[in-house]
């Protein structure tokens, strides 16, 4: 079911360089953006984990996804990805549904594409490498990323072919069942908090307040949150803050002190220590690296 909370969460302004062929690919790796903070957008998205592992959220479902695994995100679905292993990498392929439409010239438009876009069909979001038959999805996404980077003559046709190939395999899997939805109830409990944090990560929050937002006791909240996200509340908030700090530093507009305050740190020294923990260098070193890149 389409998330009821997405109107309150962070809507991403997605960079699409060419609207005559509306697609973009993002490579997440250490030293660059290594997290996908909770957000939603009007585009569809395929994600392929190519190294290490990530804790991935699609609406109220969380899974640990490893090298060889793939994820599908429909339009307007809240999603996020946080690395579990230090040097994890993934490709995120964001594309407009125009690349799938065919103006009803054949039955695929009415049988598959329209029901998918209207959320009448819900494809499973997670495709594990250990599951038989999922390899074509991951390989199609990786090939698509390579074709997009090289942009050789005819690459647009190859990209559309890969998108249809991945979707075709996904449609052959069982649609999301009611039993799947029931199994996600504990994870659904923290959804209001995740929506809140996506907008208010720069504000202080206590375990008690977070637990209250999830309608559970503080002790149970700690277990519940760690089980769902793979992080403690403090680790999760720090990841969101450092991701935003990275974005602000890249603009070259703000000083380190200003960025620290904007993302929620009153101590520049503490901000620098947390930033280095996640980025392996200080904010000042980070700014110098951007300037010389």
């Amino acid at each position: 079911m389409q998330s009821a909370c997405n109107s309150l969460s962070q809507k991403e302004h997605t960079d699409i360089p060419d609207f005559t062929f509306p697609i973009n690919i993002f490579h997440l790796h250490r030293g660059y953006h290594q997290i996908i903070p909770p957000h939603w957008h009007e585009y569809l998205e395929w994600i392929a984990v190519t190294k290490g592992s990530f804790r991935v959220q699609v609406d109220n479902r969380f899974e640990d996804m490893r090298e060889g695994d793939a994820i599908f995100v429909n339009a307007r679905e809240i999603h996020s990805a946080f690395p579990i292993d230090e040097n994890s990498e993934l490709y995120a392929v964001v594309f407009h549904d125009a690349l799938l439409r065919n103006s009803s010239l054949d039955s695929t438009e009415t049988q598959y594409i329209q029901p998918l876009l209207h959320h009448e069909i819900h494809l499973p979001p997670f495709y594990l490498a250990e599951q038989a038959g999922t390899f074509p999805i991951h390989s199609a996404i990786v090939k698509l990323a390579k074709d997009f980077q090289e942009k050789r003559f005819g690459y647009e046709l190859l990209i559309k072919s890969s998108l249809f190939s991945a979707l075709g395999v996904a449609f052959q899997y069982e649609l999301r069942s009611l039993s799947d939805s029931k199994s996600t109830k504990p994870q659904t409990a923290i959804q209001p908090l995740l929506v809140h944090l996506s907008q208010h990560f720069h504000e202080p929050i206590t375990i008690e307040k977070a637990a209250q937002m999830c309608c559970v006791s503080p002790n149970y909240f700690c277990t519940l949150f760690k089980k769902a996200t793979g992080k403690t509340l403090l680790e999760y908030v720090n990841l969101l803050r450092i991701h935003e700090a990275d974005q602000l530093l890249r603009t070259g507009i703000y000083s380190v002190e200003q960025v620290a305050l904007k993302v929620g740190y009153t101590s520049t020294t503490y901000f620098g220590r947390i930033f280095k923990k996640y980025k392996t260098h200080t904010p000042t070193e980070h700014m110098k690296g951007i300037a010389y890149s």
Side-chain angles (χ1 to χ4, degrees), residues 249 256 281-293:
L249 289 171
V256 172
H281 44 254
T282 67
T284 301
E285 292 168 343
H286 189 65
M287 292 180 73
K288 290 180 179 177
I290 294 170
Y292 289 117
S293 62

Side-chain angles (χ1 to χ4, degrees), residues 23-84:
I23 188 171
N24 204 359
I25 297 178
F26 304 90
H27 182 201
L28 274 67
H29 56 88
R30 190 169 180 81
Y32 187 59
H33 308 313
Q34 204 186 7
I35 75 166
I36 300 175
H39 71 285
W40 61 276
H41 46 62
E42 301 288 352
Y43 299 93
L44 293 88
E45 184 169 345
W46 277 109
I47 299 172
V49 180
T50 55
K51 185 178 180 181
S53 59
F54 289 81
R55 172 60 62 92
V56 178
Q57 170 198 5
V58 180
D59 268 349
N60 60 4
R61 299 184 63 181
F62 291 80
E63 290 288 344
D64 290 346
M65 304 298 284
R66 297 174 172 78
E67 181 177 344
D69 295 344
I71 303 98
F72 175 73
V73 183
N74 206 343
R76 301 183 66 83
E77 289 185 332
I78 298 173
H79 55 288
S80 64
F82 295 87
I84 298 173

Side-chain angles (χ1 to χ4, degrees), residues 158-227:
L158 294 175
I159 282 177
K160 293 188 73 168
S161 172
S162 293
L163 289 176
F164 280 114
S165 177
L167 278 177
V169 176
F171 266 105
Q172 291 179 351
Y173 275 80
E174 293 182 5
L175 303 183
R176 191 180 302 169
S177 64
L178 291 176
S179 60
D180 288 334
S181 299
K182 291 177 182 178
S183 68
T184 65
K185 282 187 178 180
Q187 297 176 348
T188 305
I190 70 168
Q191 189 77 350
L193 175 63
L194 297 180
V195 171
H196 173 81
L197 292 177
S198 71
Q199 291 283 348
H200 302 281
F201 56 82
H202 57 284
E203 299 173 2
I205 187 167
T206 63
I207 294 292
E208 289 72 21
K209 180 180 178 181
Q212 186 178 24
M213 293 180 66
C214 300
C215 300
V216 297
S217 70
N219 286 338
Y220 180 58
F221 166 78
C222 293
T223 302
L224 181 68
F225 192 86
K226 182 68 179 287
K227 181 179 179 181

